Amino acid sequence: MKKIFPFFSYLFHPIFIPVLGTFFYVLLDKHYFTLPQYLILFLQIIIITFLLPITFFYLLRTFGKIESVMLSDISQRKIPLLLQLLLFGVLIEKSITIDRFPCLYFFFLGGLFSTIFAFLLLYAQIKASIHMIGISSLTVFIIGLGIHNQVNVIELVAFFVVINGIVASSRLVMKAHSGQELIIGFLCGVLPQSVLFYFWL
């Protein structure tokens, strides 16, 4: 099992969470768009939250600013988190606006607040688990989509609750985080999404 667990750290890496959140938004939300509109939506998300961060990652790695995509060192997390703040800000300001994609807007707004918390915690020498921030925020968002659209997502939520546990276990097995850092990451992901329920449920 110890050899299998690390696989989940890569499979549910935080960089994939925006695309997964968008996928479940399209799957569960009752707003209907044309196929070209869906393609443009996914293209925007993939470029801003996946391709650009990957490009910057290799650039930072070339200059020796970071060593691994897992960002295990506290000092190496500041620039990537600042970049994520910038990209999320651009996304919700220019692309995923509240009038066009309200539910998805609040998902990314919650992600923005989670990133701010994770960044500020670095100054207290606390390395909140970004993996747990990502997977826990996605789980809460799916719960919100189910309630908002009156869709039964119990099985899907149960699946992601299990995935939360598996991802946490994988981070422990890889010795990337302590239990406390995993809990802090979990709370950083859950709380902003839960508080924002007030505005869209």
Side-chain angles (χ1 to χ4, degrees), residues 50-69:
F50 184 78
L51 295 180
L52 283 178
I54 288 291
T55 302
F56 277 104
F57 164 75
Y58 282 107
L59 183 64
L60 291 171
R61 190 172 183 178
T62 299
F63 287 99
K65 297 296 183 180
I66 57 177
E67 297 175 358
S68 166
V69 71

Side-chain angles (χ1 to χ4, degrees), residues 105-124:
Y105 169 85
F106 284 110
F107 173 61
F108 282 106
L109 182 62
L112 182 69
F113 282 121
S114 294
T115 305
I116 291 172
F117 293 153
F119 180 77
L120 293 177
L121 286 169
L122 294 178
Y123 289 94

Side-chain angles (χ1 to χ4, degrees), residues 22 38 44 48 99 116 176 182 194:
T22 305
Y38 280 130
Q44 290 174 333
I48 296 175
D99 56 321
I116 291 172
L182 293 171
S194 300

Side-chain angles (χ1 to χ4, degrees), residues 46-116:
I46 290 170
I47 290 174
I48 296 175
T49 68
F50 184 78
L51 295 180
L52 283 178
I54 288 291
T55 302
F56 277 104
F57 164 75
Y58 282 107
L59 183 64
L60 291 171
R61 190 172 183 178
T62 299
F63 287 99
K65 297 296 183 180
I66 57 177
E67 297 175 358
S68 166
V69 71
M70 292 300 176
L71 302 175
S72 56
D73 192 279
I74 286 181
S75 63
Q76 297 178 5
R77 291 181 160 224
K78 291 182 180 179
I79 296 177
L81 286 176
L82 280 175
L83 174 64
Q84 183 167 307
L85 282 173
L86 175 64
L87 293 177
F88 274 18
V90 169
L91 194 64
I92 63 177
E93 180 68 25
K94 301 296 183 181
S95 300
I96 312 301
T97 55
I98 192 170
D99 56 321
R100 294 185 65 198
F101 308 101
C103 300
L104 196 59
Y105 169 85
F106 284 110
F107 173 61
F108 282 106
L109 182 62
L112 182 69
F113 282 121
S114 294
T115 305
I116 291 172

Side-chain angles (χ1 to χ4, degrees), residues 131-142:
H131 278 74
M132 291 309 299
I133 290 175
I135 198 65
S136 64
S137 63
L138 177 62
T139 305
V140 175
F141 179 57
I142 291 171

Side-chain angles (χ1 to χ4, degrees), residues 28 136-151 153 156-158 161 197 200-201:
L28 300 173
S136 64
S137 63
L138 177 62
T139 305
V140 175
F141 179 57
I142 291 171
I143 293 171
L145 285 173
I147 297 171
H148 181 75
N149 297 294
Q150 297 183 345
V151 177
V153 292
L156 186 59
V157 170
V161 167
F197 277 175
W200 65 278
L201 289 189

Side-chain angles (χ1 to χ4, degrees), residues 183-197:
I183 292 172
I184 291 172
F186 178 82
L187 292 175
C188 284
V190 167
L191 292 179
Q193 297 292 333
S194 300
V195 171
L196 289 173
F197 277 175

